[in-house]
Structures are given as structure tokens and as C-alpha cells.
Amino acid sequence: MRAEQWVFLAKAVATLLIIKVSLKLFTFDKFKRLFSRMTKTGSHLTRSDLYVEDTAWAVRTAAHVLPVSLTCLPQALAVKYLLRNYANLPLNIGVQQSAINGFEAHAWVERAGQIIIGEWPEGKTYRALWVWE
């Protein structure tokens, strides 16, 4: 692992844990307001593809090694926060379009129409109900 990846991983662990605790402590409406303030920035940087990929990798890796359940929503929120200065990374929250087993929600982050975190299994399709720019 490259030295920078350790830094990405440490940031991902801290961010995921803070988001997990915050989602438990606050109503989603209150969390959304706080998170919006924390991610609002006047500057937009251009990050390399590798930077974006390393961030998504670190969040996925941290989510799988931490001893708490970190579903798609905390992971998408962590990527959105860690890449908050990066323009055009919408966080989508949607539902499965043809759910046989009932309602199923999902969260993902896109970049130029490609999902960078929150990929879904083949055969499933989600329709965004809410997009957080």
C-alpha cells in the first residue's frame, strides 16, 4: 500500500465513525442541516482520478474492517464529505425500481455519471428520489 493510502484510510475511519455516531444522535433533518454546513465550500478543486479512487477505496475498506455496520448511506456521506471541495459529485438516495421483496433504498455518489461508491449488484436498478449536490 502506498503511504498516501494510509492517510486516506485514517481519514476514512475517522469520518465514518463520526458520521455513524451523528446519524444515531440526530434526526436525519438535523444531521442534513449540519452536514450541509460542513460540506459547503466556496472553492472547488480539481482532484485527479487517482485521488477520487483512493478516497472511495479507503471508505469502502474502512467500512468493511470496522466492527460496526456501515451501510451505503454512511459510506456515501463519508465520500461526499472527504471530497467536499470537489465539484460535481452528487450524492443520490433512491429506491429500487422493481423491488420484488418490497421497498429497498440505496445511497450512492456519482462522478460524471459513473458511480464511485455505492455500486449495486447486477440486476438491480435504483431510481434517485433525492440528489444532494
Side-chain angles (χ1 to χ4, degrees):
M1 208 161 64
R2 296 186 331 268
E4 306 89 47
Q5 287 179 305
W6 286 104
V7 174
F8 281 96
L9 195 54
K11 287 179 181 180
V13 165
T15 302
L16 281 166
L17 291 174
I18 290 167
I19 287 171
K20 177 74 172 180
V21 169
S22 298
L23 285 169
K24 292 283 187 191
L25 291 176
F26 304 115
T27 65
F28 188 70
D29 190 49
K30 173 106 174 155
F31 174 85
K32 187 174 77 167
R33 284 193 310 269
L34 291 169
F35 191 80
S36 289
R37 276 189 249 148
M38 292 173 54
T39 57
K40 189 170 270 190
T41 176
S43 65
H44 290 290
L45 304 174
T46 302
R47 299 281 189 198
S48 69
D49 289 343
L50 184 58
Y51 188 92
V52 173
E53 290 167 18
D54 280 349
T55 300
W57 165 85
V59 169
R60 274 192 300 276
T61 301
H64 286 87
V65 300
L66 286 168
V68 294
S69 174
L70 293 157
T71 60
C72 57
L73 181 60
Q75 290 181 53
L77 289 165
V79 166
K80 184 73 173 165
Y81 175 75
L82 291 168
L83 296 174
R84 64 193 172 278
N85 292 323
Y86 194 98
N88 302 318
L89 287 176
L91 185 152
N92 300 274
I93 297 177
V95 295
Q96 187 176 8
Q97 289 180 315
S98 59
I100 295 169
N101 297 326
F103 178 80
E104 188 175 326
H106 188 60
W108 67 96
V109 176
E110 294 180 358
R111 177 174 171 227
Q114 299 296 312
I115 297 172
I116 60 170
I117 195 157
E119 300 84 359
W120 51 76
E122 191 172 319
K124 289 194 177 192
T125 304
Y126 293 89
R127 183 176 56 113
L129 295 177
W130 183 57
V131 180
W132 198 339
E133 296 291 334

